[in-house]
Short mmCIF file of all heavy atoms in Angstrom, two decimals:
data_model
loop_
_atom_site.label_atom_id
_atom_site.label_comp_id
_atom_site.label_asym_id
_atom_site.label_seq_id
_atom_site.Cartn_x
_atom_site.Cartn_y
_atom_site.Cartn_z
N VAL A 1322 -41.26 48.12 2.41
CA VAL A 1322 -40.89 47.67 3.76
C VAL A 1322 -39.41 47.95 3.99
O VAL A 1322 -38.57 47.59 3.14
CB VAL A 1322 -41.16 46.15 3.96
CG1 VAL A 1322 -40.76 45.73 5.37
CG2 VAL A 1322 -42.63 45.85 3.71
N ILE A 1323 -39.07 48.61 5.09
CA ILE A 1323 -37.67 48.81 5.45
C ILE A 1323 -37.07 47.43 5.73
O ILE A 1323 -37.61 46.67 6.54
CB ILE A 1323 -37.56 49.72 6.70
CG1 ILE A 1323 -38.11 51.11 6.37
CG2 ILE A 1323 -36.13 49.79 7.20
CD1 ILE A 1323 -38.38 51.95 7.59
N PRO A 1324 -35.98 47.09 5.05
CA PRO A 1324 -35.43 45.73 5.19
C PRO A 1324 -34.96 45.45 6.62
O PRO A 1324 -34.14 46.18 7.17
CB PRO A 1324 -34.26 45.71 4.22
CG PRO A 1324 -34.51 46.84 3.27
CD PRO A 1324 -35.22 47.89 4.06
N GLY A 1325 -35.43 44.34 7.16
CA GLY A 1325 -35.07 43.97 8.53
C GLY A 1325 -33.88 43.05 8.59
O GLY A 1325 -33.24 42.92 9.65
N GLU A 1326 -33.58 42.36 7.48
CA GLU A 1326 -32.45 41.43 7.53
C GLU A 1326 -31.78 41.37 6.16
O GLU A 1326 -32.45 41.27 5.13
CB GLU A 1326 -32.90 40.02 7.91
CG GLU A 1326 -31.74 39.05 8.05
CD GLU A 1326 -32.20 37.61 8.25
OE1 GLU A 1326 -32.40 37.23 9.41
OE2 GLU A 1326 -32.35 36.89 7.25
N VAL A 1327 -30.46 41.43 6.17
CA VAL A 1327 -29.70 41.23 4.94
C VAL A 1327 -28.59 40.24 5.22
O VAL A 1327 -27.80 40.40 6.16
CB VAL A 1327 -29.09 42.56 4.41
CG1 VAL A 1327 -28.29 42.30 3.14
CG2 VAL A 1327 -30.19 43.58 4.14
N ARG A 1328 -28.53 39.21 4.40
CA ARG A 1328 -27.44 38.23 4.47
C ARG A 1328 -26.55 38.45 3.26
O ARG A 1328 -27.05 38.54 2.14
CB ARG A 1328 -27.99 36.79 4.44
CG ARG A 1328 -28.77 36.45 5.68
CD ARG A 1328 -29.42 35.08 5.62
NE ARG A 1328 -30.05 34.80 6.90
CZ ARG A 1328 -29.44 34.14 7.90
NH1 ARG A 1328 -28.22 33.65 7.73
NH2 ARG A 1328 -30.05 33.96 9.05
N PHE A 1329 -25.25 38.56 3.48
CA PHE A 1329 -24.36 38.79 2.35
C PHE A 1329 -22.97 38.23 2.59
O PHE A 1329 -22.65 37.77 3.69
CB PHE A 1329 -24.31 40.29 1.98
CG PHE A 1329 -23.88 41.24 3.07
CD1 PHE A 1329 -22.68 41.92 2.96
CD2 PHE A 1329 -24.68 41.48 4.18
CE1 PHE A 1329 -22.28 42.84 3.93
CE2 PHE A 1329 -24.29 42.39 5.17
CZ PHE A 1329 -23.09 43.06 5.04
N SER A 1330 -22.21 38.21 1.50
CA SER A 1330 -20.85 37.65 1.55
C SER A 1330 -19.84 38.78 1.43
O SER A 1330 -20.18 39.88 1.00
CB SER A 1330 -20.66 36.69 0.36
OG SER A 1330 -20.73 37.42 -0.85
N ALA A 1331 -18.62 38.50 1.81
CA ALA A 1331 -17.51 39.41 1.51
C ALA A 1331 -16.25 38.57 1.40
O ALA A 1331 -16.12 37.54 2.09
CB ALA A 1331 -17.34 40.46 2.59
N GLU A 1332 -15.36 38.97 0.52
CA GLU A 1332 -14.06 38.29 0.43
C GLU A 1332 -12.99 39.29 0.03
O GLU A 1332 -13.24 40.24 -0.69
CB GLU A 1332 -14.12 37.13 -0.57
CG GLU A 1332 -14.55 37.49 -1.99
CD GLU A 1332 -13.68 36.86 -3.06
OE1 GLU A 1332 -12.53 37.32 -3.24
OE2 GLU A 1332 -14.16 35.90 -3.71
N PHE A 1333 -11.80 39.05 0.56
CA PHE A 1333 -10.62 39.84 0.20
C PHE A 1333 -9.53 38.90 -0.30
O PHE A 1333 -9.41 37.77 0.19
CB PHE A 1333 -10.08 40.60 1.42
CG PHE A 1333 -11.00 41.65 1.97
CD1 PHE A 1333 -11.80 41.38 3.07
CD2 PHE A 1333 -11.05 42.91 1.39
CE1 PHE A 1333 -12.65 42.35 3.58
CE2 PHE A 1333 -11.90 43.89 1.90
CZ PHE A 1333 -12.70 43.61 3.00
N ARG A 1334 -8.72 39.41 -1.24
CA ARG A 1334 -7.56 38.64 -1.71
C ARG A 1334 -6.37 39.59 -1.84
O ARG A 1334 -6.54 40.77 -2.17
CB ARG A 1334 -7.83 38.00 -3.07
CG ARG A 1334 -9.09 37.16 -3.08
CD ARG A 1334 -9.24 36.42 -4.38
NE ARG A 1334 -10.58 35.82 -4.45
CZ ARG A 1334 -10.90 34.78 -5.18
NH1 ARG A 1334 -9.98 34.19 -5.92
NH2 ARG A 1334 -12.12 34.29 -5.21
N HIS A 1335 -5.19 39.06 -1.63
CA HIS A 1335 -3.97 39.85 -1.77
C HIS A 1335 -2.78 38.90 -1.88
O HIS A 1335 -2.76 37.86 -1.23
CB HIS A 1335 -3.79 40.78 -0.55
CG HIS A 1335 -2.86 41.93 -0.81
ND1 HIS A 1335 -1.50 41.79 -0.79
CD2 HIS A 1335 -3.10 43.22 -1.12
CE1 HIS A 1335 -0.94 42.96 -1.07
NE2 HIS A 1335 -1.89 43.85 -1.29
N PRO A 1336 -1.77 39.26 -2.69
CA PRO A 1336 -0.60 38.37 -2.79
C PRO A 1336 0.19 38.26 -1.49
O PRO A 1336 0.89 37.26 -1.29
CB PRO A 1336 0.28 39.05 -3.87
CG PRO A 1336 -0.57 40.08 -4.52
CD PRO A 1336 -1.69 40.42 -3.59
N ASP A 1337 0.09 39.27 -0.64
CA ASP A 1337 0.87 39.28 0.60
C ASP A 1337 -0.01 38.80 1.76
O ASP A 1337 -0.97 39.47 2.12
CB ASP A 1337 1.38 40.70 0.86
CG ASP A 1337 2.20 40.78 2.14
OD1 ASP A 1337 2.35 39.75 2.84
OD2 ASP A 1337 2.67 41.90 2.45
N PRO A 1338 0.29 37.63 2.33
CA PRO A 1338 -0.55 37.11 3.41
C PRO A 1338 -0.63 38.06 4.61
O PRO A 1338 -1.63 38.07 5.33
CB PRO A 1338 0.11 35.78 3.79
CG PRO A 1338 1.43 35.75 3.12
CD PRO A 1338 1.41 36.74 2.00
N ALA A 1339 0.41 38.88 4.83
CA ALA A 1339 0.37 39.85 5.94
C ALA A 1339 -0.74 40.87 5.71
O ALA A 1339 -1.39 41.32 6.66
CB ALA A 1339 1.73 40.54 6.08
N GLU A 1340 -0.98 41.23 4.45
CA GLU A 1340 -2.08 42.15 4.14
C GLU A 1340 -3.43 41.51 4.45
O GLU A 1340 -4.35 42.15 4.92
CB GLU A 1340 -2.03 42.59 2.67
CG GLU A 1340 -1.05 43.70 2.37
CD GLU A 1340 -1.34 44.99 3.15
OE1 GLU A 1340 -2.50 45.25 3.53
OE2 GLU A 1340 -0.37 45.71 3.40
N ILE A 1341 -3.54 40.21 4.16
CA ILE A 1341 -4.79 39.50 4.47
C ILE A 1341 -5.00 39.48 5.98
O ILE A 1341 -6.12 39.67 6.47
CB ILE A 1341 -4.76 38.07 3.87
CG1 ILE A 1341 -4.90 38.15 2.35
CG2 ILE A 1341 -5.85 37.19 4.46
CD1 ILE A 1341 -6.22 38.72 1.83
N ASP A 1342 -3.94 39.27 6.75
CA ASP A 1342 -4.07 39.30 8.21
C ASP A 1342 -4.52 40.67 8.69
O ASP A 1342 -5.37 40.79 9.57
CB ASP A 1342 -2.74 38.91 8.87
CG ASP A 1342 -2.39 37.45 8.63
OD1 ASP A 1342 -3.30 36.67 8.26
OD2 ASP A 1342 -1.22 37.07 8.82
N ARG A 1343 -3.95 41.73 8.09
CA ARG A 1343 -4.35 43.09 8.47
C ARG A 1343 -5.81 43.35 8.09
O ARG A 1343 -6.57 43.92 8.87
CB ARG A 1343 -3.44 44.12 7.80
CG ARG A 1343 -2.14 44.38 8.57
CD ARG A 1343 -1.40 45.59 8.02
NE ARG A 1343 -0.66 45.29 6.80
CZ ARG A 1343 0.56 44.73 6.79
NH1 ARG A 1343 1.18 44.43 7.92
NH2 ARG A 1343 1.17 44.48 5.66
N LEU A 1344 -6.19 42.92 6.89
CA LEU A 1344 -7.58 43.08 6.45
C LEU A 1344 -8.53 42.34 7.39
O LEU A 1344 -9.58 42.86 7.76
CB LEU A 1344 -7.74 42.53 5.02
CG LEU A 1344 -7.26 43.42 3.89
CD1 LEU A 1344 -7.01 42.59 2.63
CD2 LEU A 1344 -8.29 44.52 3.60
N ALA A 1345 -8.12 41.13 7.78
CA ALA A 1345 -8.98 40.31 8.63
C ALA A 1345 -9.11 40.90 10.04
O ALA A 1345 -10.11 40.67 10.72
CB ALA A 1345 -8.43 38.88 8.70
N ALA A 1346 -8.11 41.66 10.47
CA ALA A 1346 -8.21 42.31 11.78
C ALA A 1346 -9.07 43.57 11.69
O ALA A 1346 -9.81 43.90 12.61
CB ALA A 1346 -6.80 42.67 12.27
N GLN A 1347 -8.96 44.25 10.55
CA GLN A 1347 -9.60 45.55 10.39
C GLN A 1347 -11.09 45.44 10.02
O GLN A 1347 -11.93 46.21 10.52
CB GLN A 1347 -8.85 46.30 9.28
CG GLN A 1347 -9.30 47.72 9.03
CD GLN A 1347 -8.65 48.29 7.75
OE1 GLN A 1347 -7.81 47.64 7.12
NE2 GLN A 1347 -9.06 49.48 7.36
N PHE A 1348 -11.41 44.50 9.13
CA PHE A 1348 -12.74 44.48 8.52
C PHE A 1348 -13.88 44.27 9.54
O PHE A 1348 -14.83 45.07 9.56
CB PHE A 1348 -12.78 43.43 7.41
CG PHE A 1348 -14.13 43.25 6.79
CD1 PHE A 1348 -14.77 44.30 6.15
CD2 PHE A 1348 -14.79 42.03 6.85
CE1 PHE A 1348 -16.03 44.15 5.57
CE2 PHE A 1348 -16.04 41.86 6.28
CZ PHE A 1348 -16.66 42.92 5.64
N PRO A 1349 -13.83 43.23 10.39
CA PRO A 1349 -14.96 43.04 11.32
C PRO A 1349 -15.14 44.23 12.25
O PRO A 1349 -16.28 44.61 12.57
CB PRO A 1349 -14.56 41.78 12.11
CG PRO A 1349 -13.55 41.10 11.27
CD PRO A 1349 -12.81 42.17 10.54
N ARG A 1350 -14.03 44.84 12.67
CA ARG A 1350 -14.11 45.98 13.59
C ARG A 1350 -14.79 47.18 12.92
O ARG A 1350 -15.74 47.75 13.44
CB ARG A 1350 -12.68 46.35 14.04
CG ARG A 1350 -12.60 47.28 15.22
CD ARG A 1350 -11.15 47.53 15.62
NE ARG A 1350 -10.39 48.18 14.58
CZ ARG A 1350 -9.20 47.76 14.13
NH1 ARG A 1350 -8.64 46.70 14.66
NH2 ARG A 1350 -8.58 48.41 13.18
N GLU A 1351 -14.32 47.52 11.73
CA GLU A 1351 -14.88 48.69 11.05
C GLU A 1351 -16.31 48.47 10.59
O GLU A 1351 -17.13 49.38 10.63
CB GLU A 1351 -13.99 49.09 9.87
CG GLU A 1351 -12.62 49.50 10.37
CD GLU A 1351 -11.94 50.52 9.47
OE1 GLU A 1351 -12.54 50.94 8.47
OE2 GLU A 1351 -10.79 50.87 9.80
N ALA A 1352 -16.59 47.23 10.18
CA ALA A 1352 -17.97 46.91 9.80
C ALA A 1352 -18.88 47.05 11.03
O ALA A 1352 -20.02 47.53 10.92
CB ALA A 1352 -18.04 45.50 9.23
N GLY A 1353 -18.36 46.65 12.19
CA GLY A 1353 -19.13 46.77 13.43
C GLY A 1353 -19.44 48.22 13.78
O GLY A 1353 -20.55 48.55 14.21
N PHE A 1354 -18.47 49.12 13.56
CA PHE A 1354 -18.71 50.56 13.81
C PHE A 1354 -19.85 51.06 12.92
O PHE A 1354 -20.74 51.78 13.38
CB PHE A 1354 -17.45 51.39 13.49
CG PHE A 1354 -16.30 51.17 14.43
CD1 PHE A 1354 -14.99 51.33 13.99
CD2 PHE A 1354 -16.52 50.81 15.77
CE1 PHE A 1354 -13.92 51.12 14.85
CE2 PHE A 1354 -15.45 50.61 16.63
CZ PHE A 1354 -14.15 50.76 16.17
N LEU A 1355 -19.82 50.67 11.65
CA LEU A 1355 -20.86 51.11 10.71
C LEU A 1355 -22.23 50.61 11.14
O LEU A 1355 -23.23 51.34 11.09
CB LEU A 1355 -20.55 50.62 9.30
CG LEU A 1355 -19.29 51.18 8.63
CD1 LEU A 1355 -19.08 50.53 7.27
CD2 LEU A 1355 -19.39 52.69 8.48
N ALA A 1356 -22.26 49.35 11.59
CA ALA A 1356 -23.54 48.76 11.99
C ALA A 1356 -24.13 49.50 13.19
O ALA A 1356 -25.33 49.80 13.23
CB ALA A 1356 -23.34 47.28 12.31
N ARG A 1357 -23.28 49.81 14.17
CA ARG A 1357 -23.77 50.54 15.36
C ARG A 1357 -24.34 51.89 14.95
O ARG A 1357 -25.38 52.32 15.44
CB ARG A 1357 -22.63 50.72 16.37
CG ARG A 1357 -22.56 49.55 17.37
CD ARG A 1357 -21.71 49.88 18.58
NE ARG A 1357 -20.29 49.97 18.27
CZ ARG A 1357 -19.52 48.90 17.99
NH1 ARG A 1357 -20.05 47.68 18.00
NH2 ARG A 1357 -18.25 49.06 17.72
N ASP A 1358 -23.65 52.53 14.01
CA ASP A 1358 -24.10 53.82 13.51
C ASP A 1358 -25.48 53.73 12.87
O ASP A 1358 -26.24 54.69 12.86
CB ASP A 1358 -23.06 54.30 12.48
CG ASP A 1358 -23.06 55.79 12.32
OD1 ASP A 1358 -23.22 56.49 13.34
OD2 ASP A 1358 -22.91 56.25 11.17
N CYS A 1359 -25.80 52.55 12.32
CA CYS A 1359 -27.10 52.33 11.66
C CYS A 1359 -28.13 51.74 12.61
O CYS A 1359 -29.27 51.47 12.20
CB CYS A 1359 -26.94 51.36 10.49
SG CYS A 1359 -25.82 51.88 9.20
N GLY A 1360 -27.75 51.49 13.85
CA GLY A 1360 -28.67 50.85 14.79
C GLY A 1360 -29.00 49.41 14.41
O GLY A 1360 -30.10 48.92 14.66
N VAL A 1361 -28.06 48.75 13.80
CA VAL A 1361 -28.29 47.39 13.29
C VAL A 1361 -27.29 46.44 13.94
O VAL A 1361 -26.15 46.82 14.20
CB VAL A 1361 -28.11 47.40 11.75
CG1 VAL A 1361 -28.04 46.00 11.18
CG2 VAL A 1361 -29.24 48.18 11.10
N ASP A 1362 -27.74 45.21 14.22
CA ASP A 1362 -26.80 44.19 14.70
C ASP A 1362 -26.12 43.56 13.49
O ASP A 1362 -26.80 43.22 12.52
CB ASP A 1362 -27.54 43.07 15.44
CG ASP A 1362 -28.09 43.58 16.77
OD1 ASP A 1362 -27.43 44.43 17.39
OD2 ASP A 1362 -29.19 43.14 17.15
N LEU A 1363 -24.82 43.39 13.58
CA LEU A 1363 -24.10 42.79 12.45
C LEU A 1363 -23.26 41.63 12.95
O LEU A 1363 -22.41 41.80 13.83
CB LEU A 1363 -23.20 43.82 11.76
CG LEU A 1363 -22.44 43.30 10.54
CD1 LEU A 1363 -23.40 42.98 9.40
CD2 LEU A 1363 -21.41 44.32 10.07
N GLN A 1364 -23.54 40.46 12.38
CA GLN A 1364 -22.77 39.26 12.70
C GLN A 1364 -21.78 39.03 11.55
O GLN A 1364 -22.19 38.92 10.39
CB GLN A 1364 -23.74 38.09 12.73
CG GLN A 1364 -23.48 37.07 13.80
CD GLN A 1364 -24.52 35.96 13.64
OE1 GLN A 1364 -25.73 36.20 13.70
NE2 GLN A 1364 -24.04 34.76 13.40
N VAL A 1365 -20.49 38.99 11.87
CA VAL A 1365 -19.46 38.77 10.84
C VAL A 1365 -18.78 37.44 11.15
O VAL A 1365 -18.13 37.30 12.18
CB VAL A 1365 -18.41 39.90 10.84
CG1 VAL A 1365 -17.41 39.70 9.70
CG2 VAL A 1365 -19.09 41.26 10.72
#
Side-chain angles (χ1 to χ4, degrees):
V1322 179
I1323 296 165
E1326 183 187 272
V1327 179
R1328 292 175 175 267
F1329 58 113
S1330 65
E1332 57 135 286
F1333 294 98
R1334 306 186 191 205
H1335 200 281
D1337 180 359
E1340 279 300 333
I1341 288 296
D1342 292 343
R1343 275 191 281 277
L1344 281 159
Q1347 184 190 355
F1348 175 61
R1350 194 177 62 230
E1351 296 209 2
F1354 292 151
L1355 295 177
R1357 270 195 290 287
D1358 204 38
C1359 300
V1361 168
D1362 291 325
L1363 182 67
Q1364 218 182 301
V1365 184

